[in-house]
Structures are given as structure tokens and as C-alpha cells.
Amino acid sequence: MSIQLENVNYIYGESSGQEKWALKNINLTLHDNEFVGIVGHTGSGKSTLTQLLNGLEKPSSGQILYNGQDIQAEGFSKKELRRKAGLVFQYPEHQLFEVSVIKDVEFGPRNLGLTNLEVEKRSFDALKQVGISDELLDVAPFALSGGQKRRVAIAGVLAMQPEVLILDEPTAGLDPAGRTEILELLQRLHRENNISVILVSHSMDDVARYAERILVMNQGELVLDGAPEKVFRYRKELREIGLDVPQSANILYELRDRGMDVDTNGITPEQAAQNIADYLRRQS
Amino acid sequence: MIRDITIGQYYQGESLIHKLDPRLKVVGVLVYLISLFCFRYVIGFLVAGLFFVLVLKLSKVPFRYVIKGLKPILFLLVFTAALNLLWTPGETIWRFGILNLTKEGIYKCIFMALRLILLIIGSSLLTLTTTPNQLTDAMEYLLGPFKRFGAPVHEVAMMMSIALRFIPILLEETDKIMKAQMSRGADFESGNLMHRLRNMIPLLVPLFVSATRRANELAYAMDARCYNGGAGRTKMKPLKYHSRDYKGYGVLVVYLVLLIVVTRTVAI
């Protein structure tokens, strides 16, 4: 699996005369089995980008290639693309509609025209993977808690067995525990099932810990692209567009600025603490 | 995809027409619409058309914006025009079976088409230059006298403004839900009627759930602010006539007089 974007532009409201560039000249290659974080503010174009990736929106100009094939070409199956590039929207309320959790998850695989047995098997597996226990299977999805709804929504896409899982702000509105739970789940799916994960978020802290590669968007443009440690070196530039580096990395950089020679490659608090300890040991 | 729908759309602007009192605009549009039915000669449209162009220029709304409003009634327009063109009795020019093209028919066809077009674009100018809130304020004021007979004018106006306010929100929500379900392989475009109706369930259920949730939240929010209907309620921005509004009424009267004089003296 690889997704390639070449000179992609997206313009809103061309017909009404009030044009707005949501995406400006995006060039990007997403590789197989990557955990990519897309970070940016509201209106930076990150949500539009996710919808281009699975063909829900059409770029105003430019090309998107999935495994080298142009997704806008005639004869390219959008349905197949949406199965392979599974997109989970921000609010689970936008997709849950069935009378029970299991039936809702079955909606996706059933649309693929699979046999009943296969549909049920995939749905059970998906729910197990996201950690929904058996006694919740027959509960109405609207009766679940926020975190549970989100996991059911993820299962609904997972049951279609995508090659890449794209999630738009999956942690918005969750408490810290729920947030960690979802992010750990994504990491586990990435490692155990070998699927690519594209995680869209406005919080650098969320993304930094789990993503192997970070894309920073600002006002429709891709401004930074690289491994987290590499991206955080541009602390000043990030601050200018209103994004912060994770708190632990921030502390390391501040210490460095004040003359302590600590290793600034530390994203998690544990790493940061280790780096500081190493420095102190070297000093004594 | 659904974003392109324009119902009662407001065109952001700072023009004189935008600033006019909404009551003047509602009355003006009503008078204008009625005036379109008060003459029998095509010359009247010259006056009515010029008046429209004047207001349009003052409002700074692009012409193609107004024209877009005609799209939904295009069928009706063509239908009426054809009906008038081919079935009006009179001096025959061309005949084919029951179709009878007459001189009077051509005249009437142009007449009806012009009237319909002006009716639509005239009233769309009101919604383009007036926010829904202003519009309901004006309605509430103008219908005020009916309060005396126990008509719930304030409540109806409030319901109208809430309904109008939710149209864009629900449209956007529909768009999002459609996309979310399409991402799970839902198909809203193919199949026969029954099939399509059944395919709407995954769209309608989340939409209704969200609409009731929103309504519930709004009710709580209104309750928390001690809203209890119209009695004794004052307005933050009470409607007040300025000198430009009186001039506006003046212009309206001038238009009416001009229309009457022209259509009575010139008979084309």
C-alpha cells in the first residue's frame, strides 16, 4: 500500500464566488505500514486531506495515486478504495444507527457483499480487537459511553479489513484515560495487524508519542514532514503557527537553551527524565 | 456535495439595502409583488424591471447570484410559457393539430414569463439582503396586531427563526453522515426506489438522533436563560426607523405612482 499525492489543490466554494483554498499544492507519499500523525489547527486543511485520501472529495487539481493508480481515473472502484483506506470520522454519532452494537459493526462488511458467516466473524473479531466485551454486543450503540462509542465506530471500519486506517480527531472530547486507551489501541492495531494508521489531531502531545512520522499543516499547506524528533527541532516555527511541541520535549529544549547539555530527543516524560538523569550523571 | 444547496441564502454585504430596516424590506417586497399583478401591458415591466435593477445595484449583490434562484422554477417557467404560447385564442400565425400559435399568445407568453421571473428574483433579493433573524423580527412586528386576537405571534416567529437557523447546520450534518456511511460502503445513488429508501436509513437515523439532541440542548440553554415566551420580553436590538428608511418608503411610493401613470398612459 502506498498513497501518493501530486500537486494536490482543493478549493471551496468556486461556484458561489467566495473561493477558499483548503489545500495548496500538497506533495506527499504515505508508505506501507506507517504510523503517521497529521497535526494542524482547525481550518488547516487536515480533515479535507483525509477525505481526499479515500475519494470522498475530489481534488480541484492534482493527482492522488493509490498503489500507483490514479483514484479519479475511470474504472477505478471508489468502493474498493474506501474499503482499503478506511476512514473513521470525528463523531461516532455520525455513523452509529443500528439497534445493537454488533449489527452496527456488521453494516460495513455487509456492504462488501460477504457471506453471513464471514460478516459475523469479521464483526466479532473487530469488536474484540477494540476491546468491546461480549455483554455489550446487543446493547444499543446510543447507550454507550463516549469512549465506547468511538471504539465501536473504529470497529465498524476495522471489520472491513482496511490496509490503512485513517482517523479524524479520534480523541476529541474524551477524558485523558479514554484518550490513552484509544491511542494505545491504534498502536496495537498498527503493530499486530500491520496496518498503516493515519491519525489526524490538533494536539501535538497525542501524536508525538505514537506516530513515526509527523506532518504539520498550516492554512492548507504542508509545512513540516518528518520523524517527531526532527519536526520538534523547528520549535520556533511551530510556535509561530500556534502549535506546541510536547511538554517533555519542550522542557528538554528549554534546559538546553539555558546552558544544560541534555539530549533533546525525548518525547515521553519517561524519556525526558532519563535524558536529564543522564546529563546529571555526566556532570557529577 | 450538499453544500451547494441554497435555501433563503443570505449574501453578506454592507450595502444600503442591507442596512435598511427589515420591516421596510418586507413591506417593499410585498408591495412590489402585488404591483406586478396590477397592470396589463408589457410597458409596466419596464418600470418594474428598472426599479429592480436600481435596488439590485444598490444592494451590490452579483446578478448571477440572483439568477441562481431561478433554477428550481425553470421547469415551471418553461411550462407556463409554452402553455400560454400555444393555447391562447386569437389571431393565428401558425397551426399544428391542437397547437395554435397566435399573436396574443406570443404577447401573453412574454408577459407571464417576465412576471414570474420578476416575482422570483424580486423576492429572492429580500432573503439575500436580510438575515433570517431580521426577517423574523420584521414578521413579528408586522403581525403584531394579530396578538390582540390571541394569535401566538411571538412563538411562531421564534420557531421560524430557530428553524431557519438550523437549516445550514443540519445540511452540514447530513453531508458528514453521508460521508461517514459512504466510508463504510453505503450507497445512496443506485438501485430502485424501495432499495434507495432502505439505504436512507443509515443516514436518517443519525440525523434524527442528532436533531433531537440539538433541540434538547437548545431547550435547556433557553431555559437556563429563563426564556418564557414573548410576554414582557424586550429586544437587544429593537427595530428602529432611520431617515434612510423613510426615504425608502418614499421611493416605494414614487415607484407605485410612476408605475400607475406609465401603464395608464402608454398602452403597449
Side-chain angles (χ1 to χ4, degrees), chain A residues 10 12 14-18 51 54 56-57 79 82-83 85-89 91 93-98 104-109 111-112 142 152-153 156-157 160, chain B residues 1 3-4 9-12 62 64-65 68 172-188 199 201-207 209-210 213-214:
Chain A
Y10 188 87
Y12 269 115
E14 261 177 307
S15 55
S16 62
Q18 290 156 331
Q51 292 178 18
N54 82 342
L56 281 172
E57 293 283 359
K79 215 167 171 176
R82 283 175 199 150
R83 183 190 76 71
L87 175 58
V88 183
F89 275 78
Y91 297 105
E93 287 82 3
H94 282 156
Q95 69 172 68
L96 301 175
F97 73 100
E98 270 288 3
D104 204 280
V105 174
E106 282 174 3
F107 180 70
N111 281 330
L112 299 177
F142 301 103
V152 171
V157 173
M160 298 169 76
Chain B
M1 52 190 96
R3 261 192 298 267
D4 296 326
Q9 227 192 22
Y10 178 66
Y11 182 85
Q12 195 79 38
R64 62 192 168 93
Y65 234 82
K68 257 203 325 205
E172 197 177 307
E173 196 122 300
T174 311
D175 190 52
K176 280 206 184 118
I177 296 169
M178 266 176 103
K179 281 177 175 166
Q181 303 300 28
M182 277 159 78
S183 295
R184 294 207 287 164
D187 185 358
F188 296 110
N199 286 352
I201 296 173
L203 171 62
L204 292 178
V205 173
L207 189 62
V209 168
S210 125
R213 187 175 46 81
R214 277 178 196 284

Side-chain angles (χ1 to χ4, degrees), chain B residues 54-109:
Chain B
L54 174 78
V55 177
L56 181 73
K57 282 283 156 241
L58 283 175
S59 74
K60 290 183 184 141
V61 176
F63 187 55
R64 62 192 168 93
Y65 234 82
V66 184
I67 288 299
K68 257 203 325 205
L70 282 175
K71 235 191 236 165
I73 63 136
L74 198 66
F75 172 74
L76 184 72
L77 193 64
V78 173
F79 187 72
T80 330
L83 214 62
N84 278 301
L85 190 63
L86 298 169
W87 271 281
T88 308
E91 188 183 324
T92 302
I93 298 174
W94 175 79
R95 204 181 178 108
F96 182 83
I98 50 161
L99 304 179
N100 189 10
L101 186 69
T102 63
K103 226 179 187 171
E104 286 78 359
I106 294 173
Y107 189 83
K108 213 168 167 193
C109 162

Side-chain angles (χ1 to χ4, degrees), chain A residues 167-184:
Chain A
L167 303 105
D168 193 355
E169 301 269 6
T171 58
L174 293 184
D175 56 31
R179 181 178 300 183
T180 317
E181 235 171 69
I182 295 283
L183 293 170
E184 299 277 339

Side-chain angles (χ1 to χ4, degrees), chain B residues 157-174:
Chain B
M158 181 57 108
M159 276 159 64
M160 256 175 67
S161 65
I162 290 174
L164 283 171
R165 184 186 163 285
F166 271 107
I167 288 176
I169 293 176
L170 289 180
L171 276 178
E172 197 177 307
E173 196 122 300
T174 311

